[in-house]
Amino acid sequence: MSPTAQQDGRVGDRIENYTGFWQKDMNKEKKNDTDNRVENYTEVINGYYDGATELYEYGWAQSFHFSRFYKGESFAASLARHEHYLASQMVLRPGMRVLDVGCGVGGPAREIARFADVEIVGLNNNDFQIGRARKYTKKAGLEDQVTFAKGDFMKLSEQFGENSFDAVYAIEATVHAPTWEGVYGEILKVLKPGGVFGVYEWCMTDRWDPSIPEHKALAHEIEFGNGIPEMRPLAKAREALKTVGFQIEHEEDLAERPDVVPWYYPLEGDIWKAQTVWDYFTVWRMSWSGKLATHNAMKLMEVVGMLPKGTWDVGEALKVAGDALVRGGQTKLFTPMYLVVCRKPQN
C-alpha cells in the first residue's frame, strides 16, 4: 500500500487533486483539458469516487443510478425495478456467468443475482468501493454468487480472457470510459459467441448541440460534477456499438417515456413531490436546507479528520452535478437511461 493510502483503500491526495483536472471557470473549457481528463481517466474516476462514494450511499443507498418512477412508487422500489427491467430485457437465466462492468458498491449486482439467479462478477478499479461491496455482499450472504475483481474496463480481455461470460451489463458506468469503442470492444471480446450485453448509458440527447454555449456548458457541468472525462451524444453510443460488431436488438431512451413523475425528481429537493413517507428524507437531502446541513457537517467532519481531505470539495461538485442533471432532464438535453440490448454474433 502506498504511503498516502488509507486503510480503507482510498488515496488521500487523490481526492484533494480531483478538482485539479477541472478549470474553475465552467464556461471556458479548452480542448486540451478534455484531452487531459480522457488520457487520465483512471485517476479522474478514482479521485472522484474516493470522495463521492460515502456521499452517494448517504443520498442514494447502494445503487448508484437513476430510474423511472411510477406514481406512488418508493425510491427503493424504483431502483430495484430498474435493475430487474434490465435483467429481464437481457433474458438472464439461472446459471449464467455475468459481468457487471463498473459495479460500484455492488447494489445492482446483489439485486440482479437474487432476481435472475445468476453468478455475477463485479468489476471496479476503485479499492474503496470494492471493499465496501465485499462487506455488503457478505452481510447479504451472497459471497458464493456475487464476487468482485479490481480491474480496468479497457482491459477486460486481458484480465478475464476472451469468450468468458454469458452476459455483460453496465449501469451508468461506461460513460467514464475514454472511448465507447474501446470499452464496448472489450465487452464484445469477453462475451461468448451469442452472448448478450445490456447497458443503461449516460448521453447527451439528439437535442443537444455543442455549438450552443448553454448546451456545451451544461455538458461540462455534468462532467465536472460526476467525474466524467467527456460527455458524448447518444448517436455516438449507438455508432460505437455497431462499429465494434454488436448486433442491436433493442434500444430506447427510457427518459422519453411520458412519466408523470420524472426520473430526476429526487434531485429537485421538493419534499412535496416525495412519493412515499419514507422518501421525504431522501428528497430533503437535496433541498436547500438539506444541502446546507449536509455540507456544513461534511466540512466539520473533514476538519476533525473523520472524512479525508477533499471530500467537501467533491460534495460541492455533486451540488453542481445535481443542478445540471435536473436542467438536463427538464430540457431533455441529457439522459441517464439510454437502454441498449445487443448481442455478440455467433461467428
Side-chain angles (χ1 to χ4, degrees):
M1 181 179 293
S2 81
T4 59
Q6 302 185 47
Q7 292 300 313
D8 59 17
R10 285 181 288 193
V11 179
D13 57 0
R14 189 163 61 192
I15 303 175
E16 285 189 276
N17 290 340
Y18 170 71
T19 52
F21 284 99
W22 306 89
Q23 287 186 228
K24 292 182 180 179
D25 186 346
M26 300 295 289
N27 297 315
K28 296 182 179 179
E29 183 193 16
K30 299 177 182 177
K31 185 179 186 300
N32 61 353
D33 296 321
T34 300
D35 291 343
N36 180 49
R37 296 196 303 271
V38 169
E39 182 180 347
N40 295 282
Y41 72 95
T42 298
E43 196 69 12
V44 172
I45 296 169
N46 274 301
Y48 177 77
Y49 280 113
D50 275 0
T53 294
E54 288 178 299
L55 305 181
Y56 272 27
E57 289 186 35
Y58 166 71
W60 227 256
Q62 295 171 18
S63 292
F64 303 162
H65 61 78
F66 292 104
S67 56
R68 294 176 56 229
F69 291 92
Y70 284 97
K71 194 170 183 179
E73 183 177 36
S74 74
F75 181 70
S78 173
L79 293 176
R81 181 177 52 74
H82 200 62
E83 294 157 6
H84 297 171
Y85 188 73
L86 180 62
S88 64
Q89 288 291 307
M90 294 172 65
V91 195
L92 297 185
R93 290 285 182 262
M96 280 185 168
R97 186 170 188 247
V98 181
L99 178 65
D100 179 334
V101 175
C103 63
V105 297
R110 289 184 290 276
E111 189 66 38
I112 291 174
R114 294 187 188 102
F115 176 76
D117 198 17
V118 292
E119 174 192 333
I120 296 182
V121 177
L123 181 79
N124 197 320
N125 69 350
N126 185 271
D127 287 310
F128 181 55
Q129 288 196 343
I130 289 175
R132 295 176 82 79
R134 287 174 175 156
K135 179 184 73 173
Y136 297 142
T137 302
K138 182 176 182 180
K139 184 177 180 180
L142 292 169
E143 312 102 297
D144 295 335
Q145 195 176 352
V146 181
T147 57
F148 299 93
K150 182 178 181 180
D152 184 345
F153 56 24
M154 302 300 287
K155 300 176 182 177
L156 295 177
S157 57
E158 181 181 319
Q159 180 167 358
F160 297 108
E162 297 190 11
N163 307 320
S164 51
F165 291 94
D166 300 297
V168 179
Y169 69 83
I171 300 178
E172 302 184 19
T174 44
V175 67
H176 290 289
T179 69
W180 275 328
E181 287 84 359
V183 68
Y184 293 160
E186 284 296 300
I187 289 169
L188 185 80
K189 289 178 184 177
V190 299
L191 273 173
K192 295 176 182 178
V196 63
F197 172 47
V199 59
Y200 287 130
E201 192 61 86
W202 274 37
C203 309
M204 305 310 292
T205 68
D206 293 335
R207 299 178 181 84
W208 181 73
D209 183 349
S211 69
I212 299 175
E214 293 82 3
H215 288 200
K216 184 67 174 178
L218 175 67
H220 190 46
E221 289 174 10
I222 292 173
E223 291 165 353
F224 168 72
N226 294 279
I228 296 167
E230 180 185 23
M231 284 301 300
R232 309 176 186 102
L234 185 153
K236 281 196 173 183
R238 180 190 301 116
E239 179 185 351
L241 287 164
K242 292 180 178 178
T243 297
V244 302
F246 275 113
Q247 297 173 342
I248 295 179
E249 296 183 345
H250 176 71
E251 61 170 317
E252 178 186 4
D253 178 5
L254 296 181
E256 290 289 346
R257 296 278 187 95
D259 296 327
V260 175
V261 183
W263 60 265
Y264 52 82
Y265 105 81
L267 293 177
E268 292 181 295
D270 185 350
I271 62 173
W272 301 110
K273 292 183 179 180
Q275 294 299 290
T276 70
V277 173
W278 299 109
D279 292 337
Y280 275 107
F281 186 56
T282 298
V283 178
W284 171 81
R285 283 178 288 205
M286 295 305 298
S287 69
W288 70 268
S289 59
K291 289 177 183 178
L292 181 65
T294 298
H295 288 267
N296 284 339
M298 276 198 302
K299 192 68 172 179
L300 177 62
M301 292 170 74
E302 188 174 315
V303 168
V304 300
M306 294 176 64
L307 288 174
K309 290 183 178 179
T311 303
W312 185 86
D313 286 333
V314 173
E316 290 297 292
L318 280 171
K319 287 168 66 176
V320 173
D323 292 341
L325 292 172
V326 169
R327 290 204 319 277
Q330 290 172 338
T331 58
K332 293 191 177 293
L333 294 174
F334 164 79
T335 177
M337 52 187 73
Y338 172 47
L339 167 66
V340 185
V341 177
C342 50
R343 196 165 299 276
K344 179 176 181 176
Q346 286 286 355
N347 48 42

